Structure formats: structure tokens, C-alpha cells
Amino acid sequence: MVSEHAAAQVLVASNRGPVTYSLEENGELTAKRGGGGLVSGLSAIGDSAGDSLWVCAALGDGDREAVRRGVGEPGVRMLDIDPQVHADAYNGIANSVLWFVHHMLYQTPLEPAFGPEFRAQWASYETYNRAFAEALAESAAGGAAVLVQDYHLALVPGMLRELRPDLRIGHFSHTPWAPVDYFRMLPDDVAEQLLRGILGADRAAFLTGRWADAFTECCVAVIGGTSGTRIGVHGLGADADFLRERAGRDDVEERLVALREQVGTGRRVIVRVDRTELSKNIVRGLLAYRELLASRPEWRERVVHVAFAYPSRQDLAVYREYTASVQKLADEINSEYGVEGWTPVVLHVKDDFARSLAAYRLADVALVNPIRDGMNLVAKEVPVVSDEGCVLVLSREAGAYEELGDDALVVNPYDVSGTASALHEALTMPVEERAERTKRLAAAATALPPAQWFLDQLRALQD
């Protein structure tokens, strides 16, 4: 079968594409274009839409209707995969198994328990990956470069290699990679299938050397080695030009004024901006702040914790419960310590990028304490736009630690008391030291901006 999208020289595959469609009440479709490193990278490849193709899944009713009507953007191929197959593959396997394994999130006395339901969902994950592999095989020119993204599509490289041995295939993991003992919780055949899937690529790349090493160790332990696949590391950086320009716009200025009013005059500000994702460790961060107020009463009425916790994956019960826990703990701290004119925790749960940038600018301290994180761009973004310089309190389990650890205050994410001490140290750091650290953090954070990050992978694959 020859595809209408045939003969692309560079292809990207990801679950979410660069555009989403909404179906309006009057039946019209409205397109919204996304941003990020892949979008920047693809635009940097060349002017001709025929040279590149982005293959992605139709994620909602609007996307599926666009596919059915033949509506689309040049250079984008959206796959209308059966909604139940997609749900099983995306929520059942990618987000409820693979994400949990790589972020080490299981409560192991009770979970996981891989039985018939898992096997049915795994079959959907295979079907979903096969749909991508077949679309890429149809659409790629001879010898084309294909960059497959993330844990959703771990089987695609191996499947695509069988269909099109002429292609140059890369796979990039945006998550951590689990250590061997944790990875081997997966059924043996599934663990092997995942590794061999990624090893179908000419090159498998990761955000840090630590995750690349963990993958290699899993390959050695489970299947005896990496089968000739090259392993690479590309530490995604912040886009300094975009962030600084965007942070200076009027809507950010307005939100900055509003935040300053909420905080009050003369107070220090500890900022966190996260999705309410289990791995982000928001609850322990709030516990550390509560301990700071309890053990260092001099900070009462002198500091405010601005916490933006944007709900994530609310279709999964465990995420709804976690979001509720964050809200409950913030309320408890405010009830215990708050007085008229001072609210210790300012919590916002409605996603607002302009307000996030305003908080970045306002931060005296940025708290980034994930249990485990592939990179964590918040840690890289805050130093870039901070108005007065800020101290970064950073978990050693974030991928960003590899690049930013020397100039951050590093914490064990499970150590609530240690994190409270780090917050106190951050709040009392001399202004000159804070400014110098911020300068070095911003330089490290922007060393590999998104477009360059993407193009480096492409060049490494083509060389």
C-alpha cells in the first residue's frame, strides 16, 4: 500500500502530536497547535513539509473526526486507532505499568499483580505499537530517518525494523529507566519484548547517563547485551529566548501583580510548579514546608509557599486521590499556621502558564523534589526567568541533578526533615551567592535548547 504521506525523509512518532482538534457544537473543527522541543526541532529541519512527517495518535473525538473528514495539517499523519485499544495501551499499560516501573512507584506488597487483565491490555499495547510501525513503514522514503518517542512506543523500533530494514531508526526515552531489579518485576517475556523492541533501533537515547546506563544493565541482565544498538545521551535544556520573551508579556505582568498581593509585602517566596503526578512528590514537599514552620518559628508570617499543582491523569483513581491529598494537606497547613493577613500556602490547581512564569519570576526558592524524574524542566526554567535570582532545592533523583547539582541545594526526596533544613538554608543564603548560583544554573539549564536537542539526535542517527 502506498500512503498519501509517502516519501518523507525524516519522521517523528509520538503518542501526542503537534496539533489537536476540538469539535465545536456547530460541527466545526478547531485546531490548536502545541509547542515544545519536537515542534521546534521539526521546524528546524527544512522548509518543505514533504521532507518531514509527524505520525501521532488521534487522542479525542475532535482528532478522530478530523481524521474521518480528511482534515489535517501538512506534515502530520494522525492515526485513528480504536478508542478502547488506545485506552488500554495508553492508560492500562503506558501510564499504569511502564510509568510506574520506570518511576518506581508501586506499593510492592499489593502491586503489581500481572494477570489476565494485564495480558489483555498488553495485547492492545502491541496492536497500538503495530499501527504506528505500519504507518511509518508506509510513509518513509528509502533510507529515511525515524525518531520514535518514549515509553508509549517502545515496541515500534523492532516492529518497524522487520517491515523496513532500510530505515535508520532512533528511539528516545523521556522518562527515567528502571534499575534491573525493579525492571524485572515485569513478566519475563514482557521485559524481553520491551528491550528487544527498543533495540530494533539503530540508536537508543536517554536524557541522562544514569538512565542510559540503567537501560544497558537491563539489556545485559535480561537478554545478554544491547545487540549492537548505539546508546546516546541528550539532556534536553530550557528554551531561554522563548521563556524570557514570554515571561515579559503583559499577561505575566498582570499575574505577577496579583501574586505579589496574595503573598504580601516583604515576604520570601518558595515556589513549586508541578502536575499532580505521583512521582513529583508534592505531598512530601508540603510536609517539609510544614516542618520548616514548626521547627523554625521565625519564618511564620515571613514566608509563603506558592504551590501550583495542576491536576494530571484524573481518569485514573490513584491520581484523583493524590490530587485530593495535596489539597487536604495545604488546607491543614493554612488552618494550623495561618493568621489574618498571612496564608502560608497559596495553592492553585488550574493550569495557567502565564501564572507559572509569574511565579518563576517571583521565586526566592524553587522546590523541585521528585521521587524520580527523567529530567524536570521546571528546575531548568526557574533560574532562566527569575527576577532576583533564586536558590534551587533539587532532588538528587531528578535527571536535572546531573547538570544542575553543583549549584543547587541537593536533597533526598524521601527525607522530609532534610528538605526542611534545605529550605531554611535556601531562605538564608546571602544575596551574592544566590545570584552567582542562579547565573551558573541558567547557563547549564540552557546548554542544549529544544531545537538543538532534536537536531543533535537526528545528526547522530544519520552519521
Side-chain angles (χ1 to χ4, degrees):
M1 176 186 172
V2 178
S3 165
E4 60 180 300
H5 300 286
Q9 293 290 341
V10 176
L11 300 92
V12 168
S14 62
N15 177 67
R16 182 179 299 278
V19 64
T20 55
Y21 293 93
S22 302
L23 186 58
E24 307 299 335
E25 287 183 11
N26 63 4
E28 286 187 14
L29 285 167
T30 305
K32 182 182 178 187
R33 194 161 179 84
L38 286 174
V39 176
S40 304
L42 263 184
S43 63
I45 291 166
D47 297 324
S48 170
D51 288 341
S52 61
L53 180 69
W54 194 321
V55 178
C56 57
L59 298 183
D61 293 338
D63 287 355
R64 292 190 183 94
E65 185 60 27
V67 175
R68 290 181 196 119
R69 292 185 193 179
V71 173
E73 288 203 6
V76 178
R77 180 175 177 183
M78 204 172 262
L79 307 180
D80 185 8
I81 296 165
D82 177 87
Q84 189 56 53
V85 169
H86 184 269
D88 284 351
Y90 181 71
N91 275 334
I93 297 297
N95 289 343
S96 295
V97 175
L98 302 183
W99 182 272
F100 272 60
V101 168
H102 290 315
H103 290 83
M104 299 168 65
L105 294 175
Y106 281 121
Q107 297 182 60
T108 51
L110 299 172
E111 56 185 16
F114 297 123
E117 183 183 9
F118 166 79
R119 289 294 173 177
Q121 291 174 332
W122 181 254
S124 290
Y125 184 80
E126 291 173 311
T127 300
Y128 166 77
N129 275 251
R130 195 169 294 110
F132 271 85
E134 289 172 354
L136 292 164
E138 289 169 5
S139 302
V146 182
L147 288 154
V148 180
Q149 304 297 311
D150 228 356
Y151 60 105
H152 314 95
L153 301 176
L155 304 182
V156 167
M159 292 174 170
L160 183 56
R161 176 69 63 209
E162 289 182 9
L163 295 169
R164 290 287 304 272
D166 61 303
L167 300 177
R168 283 162 293 177
I169 304 168
H171 185 276
F172 194 91
S173 293
H174 295 259
T175 64
W177 193 273
V180 173
D181 289 348
Y182 211 90
F183 184 75
R184 297 196 82 164
M185 282 199 293
L186 290 165
D188 291 353
D189 61 318
V190 169
E192 182 173 344
Q193 207 177 334
L194 283 165
L195 296 174
R196 292 197 186 281
I198 291 176
L199 294 177
D202 297 281
R203 196 168 182 276
F206 300 85
L207 286 163
T208 72
R210 181 181 176 186
W211 313 141
D213 291 346
F215 174 76
T216 301
E217 287 160 13
C218 286
C219 290
V220 170
V222 176
I223 55 177
T226 54
S227 307
T229 296
R230 290 179 290 139
I231 308 298
V233 175
H234 302 274
L236 175 61
D239 187 338
D241 292 341
F242 164 73
L243 285 168
R244 288 178 178 137
E245 185 278 325
R246 184 67 186 85
R249 288 191 205 167
D250 289 346
D251 58 344
V252 177
E253 296 285 355
E254 287 167 16
R255 285 159 177 78
L256 190 56
V257 169
L259 274 176
R260 283 201 175 108
E261 278 183 20
Q262 280 187 291
V263 167
T265 308
R267 291 188 175 124
R268 312 301 293 279
V269 182
I270 300 169
V271 166
R272 86 170 303 135
V273 178
D274 276 313
R275 292 175 297 113
T276 53
E277 214 299 310
L278 307 182
S279 64
K280 299 299 184 184
N281 208 25
I282 300 168
V283 168
R284 287 192 191 89
L286 286 167
L287 289 172
Y289 178 64
R290 183 166 73 180
E291 182 168 335
L292 174 76
L293 298 179
S295 63
R296 305 272 186 176
E298 66 268 27
W299 286 115
R300 295 176 199 173
E301 299 187 59
R302 289 183 53 220
V303 66
V304 172
H305 186 11
V306 173
F308 295 166
Y310 301 140
S312 172
R313 299 178 184 169
Q314 295 299 290
D315 45 352
L316 298 176
V318 66
Y319 282 83
R320 292 195 298 273
E321 291 160 9
Y322 188 74
T323 302
S325 298
V326 169
Q327 182 73 63
K328 181 171 179 285
L329 183 51
D331 291 344
E332 286 175 3
I333 295 169
N334 286 336
S335 173
E336 187 175 357
Y337 291 103
V339 296
E340 189 175 343
W342 176 56
T343 304
V345 180
V346 172
L347 179 70
H348 285 286
V349 296
K350 189 173 186 302
D351 198 346
D352 183 335
F353 183 56
R355 190 177 57 212
S356 296
L357 288 173
Y360 288 179
R361 288 181 54 186
L362 192 60
D364 294 297
V365 179
L367 176 58
V368 180
N369 68 319
I371 293 167
R372 201 167 163 83
D373 214 328
M375 176 54 70
N376 196 296
L377 281 178
V378 171
K380 292 187 166 186
E381 290 168 350
V382 180
V384 173
V385 297
S386 167
D387 282 353
E388 304 293 334
C390 77
V391 183
L392 176 62
V393 176
L394 179 65
S395 165
R396 67 190 185 199
E397 298 301 318
Y401 164 72
E402 209 161 280
E403 297 162 85
L404 307 183
D406 288 348
D407 289 299
L409 298 182
V410 178
V411 295
N412 170 350
Y414 300 97
D415 184 354
V416 169
S417 297
T419 304
S421 296
L423 290 174
H424 174 72
E425 185 183 346
L427 289 165
T428 54
M429 185 177 288
V431 172
E432 300 79 14
E433 183 183 350
R434 187 170 100 169
E436 284 302 314
R437 283 181 185 243
T438 304
K439 211 177 292 179
R440 293 193 296 267
L441 285 168
T446 55
L448 193 60
Q452 193 60 45
W453 166 83
F454 179 87
L455 291 174
D456 280 5
Q457 290 175 65
L458 182 60
R459 289 191 194 104
L461 183 61
Q462 291 174 328
D463 285 347

